[in-house]
Amino acid sequence: MTVSPLDAANETTRRITTLSVATAVLLIIMKAFALGASGSVSILASLADSTLDLIASLATFFAVRWAALPPDDAHRYGHGKAEGLASLVQAGMVLASSVFIGWEAVQRIFDPRPVTSGGWAIGVVVLSIAITSALVWMQTQAVKKTGSLAVAGDRAHYAADLASNVVVLIGVVSGSLLKAPGLDAAAGLVVAVWLAWGALNLLRGAADHLLDRAASDEDRAAIVAAVTEDARIANVHQLRTRMTGQALMVQMHVDLDPDLSLKAAHGITLDAEKRVLKAFPHADIMIHADPRGAAEPHGGPLASARPTGPEPVKAEPNGPQPDQCDAPDAPSKRVGPWS
């Protein structure tokens, strides 16, 4: 049985999130042992980070499975926004973690405590770096394949964890071998700042997803280029794009010869959809055909919206272009994602 690109992507996200949860559990056990042996605030910071990583990974684990559910009567566009919600939860937990770690680090700066059993702590941190690096690499491959926002958010967690582990290693070495526990606390403070910055980036990405931010200018231009490969399509306008989970939702109007039969117009738009799907396999596409040169009924408060951007490349029309109409909902003579 042939597996659709979207089903294959969903299976990839399910596998990588399962691995993410297992990795978080392993790291927590290792760092808890190292904390008990050393008392290092840097290890405490890293342990707190890994604990929140586990919670976030569990949220992602369930979110990608929820997002993969097919549309139902109550969710006609599917459940893809679950990925944005999971990313929002992840960002909040990372921000809370940064506040806790920052407070503890400031306390230790004013009240330094020696780092004991530094050898155990160093060994655990080095092993954590190796394990986390492998996971981040696999998550990166999964994001390239699926474009999953939830997996990208989870990867951001572990990428921050990887960087923080390097800082922790510096802190533990300075506290145990250099006998400078103040540096250990300072390393914990650096981790807190790093986590806060990562949380803000996650919040921005989740907000873009939940507020239906449009696809990039490059992607919209690629969609228009694919559609207008057929010279019978004279114009593309009212193009709207947004992400819902891993699916790219695409809506547009195209101008066709008004003398075409309904069957012929349907065939032209169907071929256009296939060309867009070739470039964007996870797309959900709806194309409305307009008779060229005829003003359309107003399609709602957003129908006349035209995002700003560089002047798009004009497609070669099949026949003379109609005169430009001044009505806001009239077909534009320009071809491109901003027309």
Side-chain angles (χ1 to χ4, degrees):
M1 183 177 64
T2 303
V3 179
S4 71
L6 190 57
D7 287 340
N10 289 333
E11 179 60 28
T12 299
T13 58
R14 283 192 287 266
R15 286 199 304 266
I16 197 65
T17 52
T18 300
L19 181 61
S20 176
V21 170
T23 300
V25 171
L26 177 60
L27 291 175
I28 286 173
I29 294 172
M30 291 167 50
K31 291 176 182 179
F33 171 78
L35 177 63
S38 67
S40 166
V41 69
S42 293
I43 292 292
L44 173 63
S46 188
L47 175 61
D49 184 27
S50 292
T51 301
L52 285 177
D53 279 343
L54 174 60
I55 298 173
S57 293
L58 285 170
T60 304
F61 178 89
F62 292 109
V64 298
R65 286 157 175 79
W66 185 21
L69 293 176
D72 55 34
D73 290 340
H75 305 89
R76 300 306 298 165
Y77 287 95
H79 303 78
K81 294 295 183 183
E83 293 204 7
L85 289 173
S87 185
L88 198 64
V89 170
Q90 290 171 338
M93 289 190 296
V94 172
L95 194 59
S97 175
S98 69
V99 172
F100 166 74
I101 294 169
W103 174 257
E104 184 67 21
V106 169
Q107 293 290 97
R108 291 291 185 94
I109 288 175
F110 290 102
D111 181 23
R113 302 177 191 176
V115 176
T116 59
S117 301
W120 281 107
I122 292 172
V124 167
V125 172
V126 169
L127 186 56
S128 297
I129 290 174
I131 294 173
T132 306
S133 296
L135 177 63
V136 169
W137 182 84
M138 286 184 281
Q139 288 175 323
T140 299
Q141 303 311 306
V143 170
K144 287 180 180 179
K145 183 182 297 185
T146 67
S148 170
L149 180 65
V151 175
D154 209 30
R155 179 185 61 175
H157 272 286
Y158 286 99
D161 192 46
L162 178 61
S164 71
N165 280 333
V166 174
V167 176
V168 167
L169 182 61
I170 296 172
V172 174
V173 169
S174 63
S176 61
L177 303 183
L178 303 181
K179 307 302 180 184
L183 293 179
D184 171 58
L189 189 60
V190 170
V191 172
V193 173
W194 179 274
L195 290 175
W197 178 256
L200 293 177
N201 287 330
L202 281 177
L203 282 171
R204 187 181 301 112
D208 284 346
H209 187 79
L210 294 173
L211 295 176
D212 290 335
R213 183 179 178 88
S216 68
D217 288 348
E218 292 78 10
D219 285 347
R220 287 184 290 167
I223 290 170
V224 171
V227 171
T228 54
E229 282 182 15
D230 189 336
R232 292 172 295 179
I233 298 177
N235 183 35
V236 174
H237 55 285
Q238 293 187 21
L239 173 63
R240 301 180 194 171
T241 59
R242 63 185 177 92
M243 294 298 299
T244 175
Q246 299 171 44
L248 173 64
M249 312 297 290
V250 181
Q251 300 177 14
M252 72 185 78
H253 289 222
V254 298
D255 286 352
L256 300 177
D257 186 337
D259 295 327
L260 286 173
S261 67
L262 178 60
K263 182 177 181 180
H266 172 72
I268 292 171
T269 57
L270 186 61
D271 289 341
E273 289 181 8
K274 291 177 180 178
R275 292 193 298 274
V276 174
L277 281 171
K278 187 175 181 180
F280 301 91
H282 301 162
D284 186 310
I285 308 159
M286 184 172 69
I287 301 179
H288 176 80
D290 293 329
R292 188 170 61 236
E296 311 156 1
H298 195 277
L302 300 180
S304 61
R306 286 170 171 80
T308 59
E311 184 72 19
V313 179
K314 294 182 179 179
E316 291 295 328
N318 182 25
Q321 285 277 19
D323 293 335
Q324 177 68 35
C325 179
D326 292 330
D329 56 331
S332 169
K333 292 171 68 175
R334 297 192 306 164
V335 175
W338 310 276
S339 57

